[in-house]
Amino acid sequence: MLQGGFTSVLQVKSRDELLAEVVGFTRRLGFETVNVTAVVDRFRGESDFVWVNNAPSAYRQLSETVEEGRRDPVAQHCKRASVPIIWNQDTYTSCGLGEKWEVQARFGYRTGIALALHLPEGRHFFIGVDRDQALPNSSAEVTRLVADLQLFAVHAQDAALRVLVPPPPQMDFPSLTPRELEGLRWTMEGKTAWEVGNILGISERTAVLHINNATHKLGCVNKHQAVLKALRLGLIR
């Protein structure tokens, strides 16, 4: 177990320090290159992507795009699941992307391990380690590599999101009345305006008024967007 790298990454204060810690851990693990990506989903479906890696500059220009990630089977696996993936040439040829593997193999990306952590509030953390040589034949050794990477990821994600994705600028939260907040909370639970009115002991028309007021104050076009924004702002849970 590479315990030293698990705790020291928590102390990083800059992007360069984070990269140094991640690269150091990767090499102790027996891999040459590493990519760390922090993703934060924003309102209206947009997301912020920030990469840190030690990839060769020529390869970085090919790989650091959202479009390229949409083609990559490893990235797509990590987008959908939190289970680590051990990948090699077969991963690409099986989905008709053998040529893509050939291109990246020239830069030393022949096999590797990747995983993602999908966290609350639309935050995601991806880490992938890669190398030119095949992984060990021993399944026990491969299991140890995966376990060490998973444990490191748990520590590194906090530092990466803190360093790479600055918090949004402070904003004045809209002032919603208790009734408006209650209307959004019950809307989040799938209740209709008629049901919200019964629960709160008010008329359906009044319930609609409270929900519409909350939607307008949050700058949204419908009550479902209003619920999502209120959740993101921490106004309801």
Side-chain angles (χ1 to χ4, degrees), residues 120-183:
E121 299 180 355
R123 299 175 303 150
H124 313 273
F125 173 78
F126 167 88
I127 183 169
V129 293
D130 324 277
R131 68 189 199 181
D132 193 37
Q133 300 178 354
L135 297 184
N137 291 325
S138 167
S139 59
E141 179 66 11
V142 172
T143 298
R144 183 192 66 80
L145 294 174
V146 173
D148 279 352
L149 183 62
Q150 286 179 299
L151 188 54
F152 179 75
V154 171
H155 290 76
Q157 59 86 16
D158 180 73
L161 289 166
R162 171 171 48 83
V163 170
L164 299 179
V165 185
Q170 293 295 319
M171 60 178 293
D172 293 330
F173 285 175
S175 177
L176 272 63
T177 68
R179 283 297 196 201
E180 290 164 354
L181 290 172
E182 286 292 336

Side-chain angles (χ1 to χ4, degrees), residues 66-77:
V66 174
E67 291 75 17
E68 190 65 20
R70 289 172 180 157
R71 294 182 61 238
D72 191 281
V74 177
Q76 289 304 304
H77 168 90

